[in-house]
Amino acid sequence: MSKQNVRGTDPKKVSTELFTLTYGSLVAQLIKDYENNEDVNKQLDKMGYNIGVRLIEDFLARSGSGRCQDFRETADKIQLAFRMFLGINPSVTNWSPAWDEFSLIIDNNPLTEFVELPDTHYALKYCNMLCGVIRGALEMVQMEVAVRFVQDQLRGDNTTELRIKFIRRLEDAIPAGED
Amino acid sequence: MADDVLLDFFHMEIVAYSIQSTRKEERVDYGISKLEYIGFTTGFRFVERLTRDLPRFKEELDIVKFICKDYWMAICKKQIDSLLTNYEGMYVLQDNNFRFLSQLSSGRQYLELAPKFVAFMCGMIRGALTNLGIMAVVTAETSSLPACK
């Protein structure tokens, strides 16, 4: 072929775009399959959970990080994971006084790059998969958390904000000989 | 690259979803048409992003070459291994280590599951071709994993 990759697109960006578009197609299919947006949210969360459960292994193997001492350290690790897998750098803010809840602010969410939400899908949490991923991944390291969206750029907010709350430590799930 | 893993896991979830969401009585194709459709819409839009800066294709073969090289590169991080044609509009693309199958098995184990993991890619190719003005039927043959035709 005469043109030997003359365009300046970097492969990193292309693969993120591929992921984004695939995600969009899936959401479109889910909307077609389910009548109500709540069910779509639920399904996205479930799929995210399944991904998170597997993704944590990849994360641990790649980052070589050990057990977290406190929830603040966990927050840093989540930040690192976002950088690794999505190539973005969300900021961690709004800690609760008891240090068990924080917000993850995502300024430019790659998942929503080509998306516009019509009014008819106001209840749809487009990026709900992220919640599931975080929940599933942390469950595998014996942490039960609740993740929810409090702000969403798609719904006219300034940023996308994820609220992550530590619920409890899953003690009995630790395999024998781990601690 | 790390985010490849994300797509791999995501693809696995899409496969699982398409299969379990298809109702029992419709299960003649095990949800593969739904999977193919998701791939189709993705490919249709993805190829638009990819060909943005490319000059217009002159003929059909150019398009097929594009699919083999750039398109495959963007999705599977490699070019297609061999391309055959009968010069009557039929093309056979072979990938000896297909991305979505490479982690599955290298042998005859799980052979019966393989079609589910290539349906998405079939859709991706069909979507791309449709957007470039070619109506096509894309099928896959997986006789020995992880190769795929």
Side-chain angles (χ1 to χ4, degrees):
Chain A
M1 223 161 30
S2 55
K3 45 200 182 285
Q4 281 294 327
N5 276 336
V6 274
R7 68 231 141 87
T9 40
D10 64 314
K12 178 94 181 160
K13 192 153 178 294
V14 169
S15 76
T16 313
E17 275 176 3
L18 176 61
F19 179 71
T20 308
L21 291 173
T22 314
Y23 189 81
S25 299
L26 174 80
V27 176
Q29 182 68 41
L30 288 176
I31 290 172
K32 218 186 287 173
D33 287 356
Y34 295 106
E35 267 131 50
N36 104 34
N37 287 326
E38 279 308 313
D39 292 339
V40 177
N41 294 343
K42 227 177 278 171
Q43 181 64 34
L44 281 173
D45 183 77
K46 199 170 115 198
M47 294 172 81
Y49 175 83
N50 292 340
I51 294 174
V53 164
R54 298 184 181 127
L55 201 62
I56 185 72
E57 296 198 14
D58 193 78
F59 173 74
L60 291 178
R62 257 174 229 274
S63 67
S65 55
R67 215 166 255 284
C68 292
Q69 298 303 319
D70 57 16
F71 203 45
R72 267 169 284 181
E73 207 181 326
T74 311
D76 291 341
K77 295 276 168 67
I78 293 175
Q79 214 177 1
L80 174 67
F82 266 89
R83 201 159 46 228
M84 262 170 70
F85 293 113
L86 285 175
I88 52 169
N89 209 355
S91 51
V92 175
T93 50
N94 291 345
W95 280 97
S96 65
W99 296 98
D100 65 345
E101 194 174 1
F102 66 91
S103 290
L104 209 58
I105 311 276
I106 305 169
D107 283 332
N108 43 353
N109 189 346
L111 284 184
T112 60
E113 203 180 338
F114 312 112
V115 186
E116 248 177 74
L117 266 196
D119 294 341
T120 45
H121 292 293
Y122 193 75
L124 180 74
K125 296 188 182 104
Y126 185 81
C127 301
N128 213 27
M129 182 173 275
L130 290 180
C131 297
V133 172
I134 296 174
R135 194 166 56 85
L138 289 182
E139 193 172 308
M140 288 297 112
V141 288
Q142 285 93 41
M143 248 185 257
E144 190 178 323
V145 291
V147 189
R148 64 192 163 86
F149 275 101
V150 280
Q151 288 194 70
D152 193 341
Q153 268 168 333
L154 286 179
R155 288 193 250 175
D157 296 321
N158 287 329
T159 53
T160 299
E161 180 179 351
L162 273 171
R163 197 85 181 133
I164 303 177
K165 184 176 170 50
F166 177 78
I167 296 176
R168 67 190 174 97
R169 195 159 264 284
L170 303 164
E171 291 292 353
D172 47 354
I174 301 174
E178 262 287 291
D179 270 8
Chain B
M1 240 184 319
D3 52 349
D4 291 341
V5 193
L6 200 59
L7 184 65
D8 283 345
F9 285 146
F10 186 50
H11 176 252
M12 278 153 66
E13 278 311 309
I14 296 177
V15 172
Y17 166 75
S18 313
I19 291 160
Q20 55 97 18
S21 71
T22 311
R23 276 190 253 38
K24 277 270 172 1
E25 59 269 26
E26 302 167 1
R27 272 211 182 155
V28 275
D29 64 348
Y30 300 100
I32 279 178
S33 60
K34 186 182 276 183
L35 206 49
E36 209 257 357
Y37 183 73
I38 296 178
F40 176 79
T41 50
T42 310
F44 194 87
R45 289 174 297 147
F46 185 54
V47 78
E48 243 168 50
R49 308 282 306 168
L50 214 57
T51 51
R52 200 173 25 178
D53 305 324
L54 288 180
R56 185 177 280 273
F57 296 113
K58 284 191 197 66
E59 48 182 315
E60 195 178 274
L61 192 63
D62 280 343
I63 296 179
V64 177
K65 273 185 187 164
F66 163 76
I67 296 282
C68 293
K69 292 186 173 180
D70 301 75
Y71 196 61
W72 217 264
M73 197 60 149
I75 299 165
C76 301
K77 310 277 169 241
K78 69 194 277 286
Q79 294 187 356
I80 205 94
D81 290 306
S82 81
L83 167 65
L84 300 171
T85 176
N86 65 353
Y87 297 102
E88 283 167 24
M90 196 177 93
Y91 297 89
V92 179
L93 281 63
Q94 184 171 347
D95 189 335
N96 292 331
N97 191 6
F98 183 54
R99 176 179 180 180
F100 296 127
L101 293 176
S102 59
Q103 304 300 322
L104 198 62
S105 134
S106 52
R108 301 195 60 82
Q109 199 188 8
Y110 303 125
L111 197 60
E112 71 276 15
L113 298 177
K116 296 170 188 168
F117 289 91
V118 291
F120 177 77
M121 194 63 194
C122 288
M124 288 278 299
I125 300 172
R126 194 167 67 87
L129 290 174
T130 306
N131 207 347
L132 297 171
I134 299 178
M135 292 299 148
V137 178
V138 182
T139 55
E141 186 187 303
T142 49
S143 45
S144 63
L145 300 178
C148 166
K149 274 183 187 177

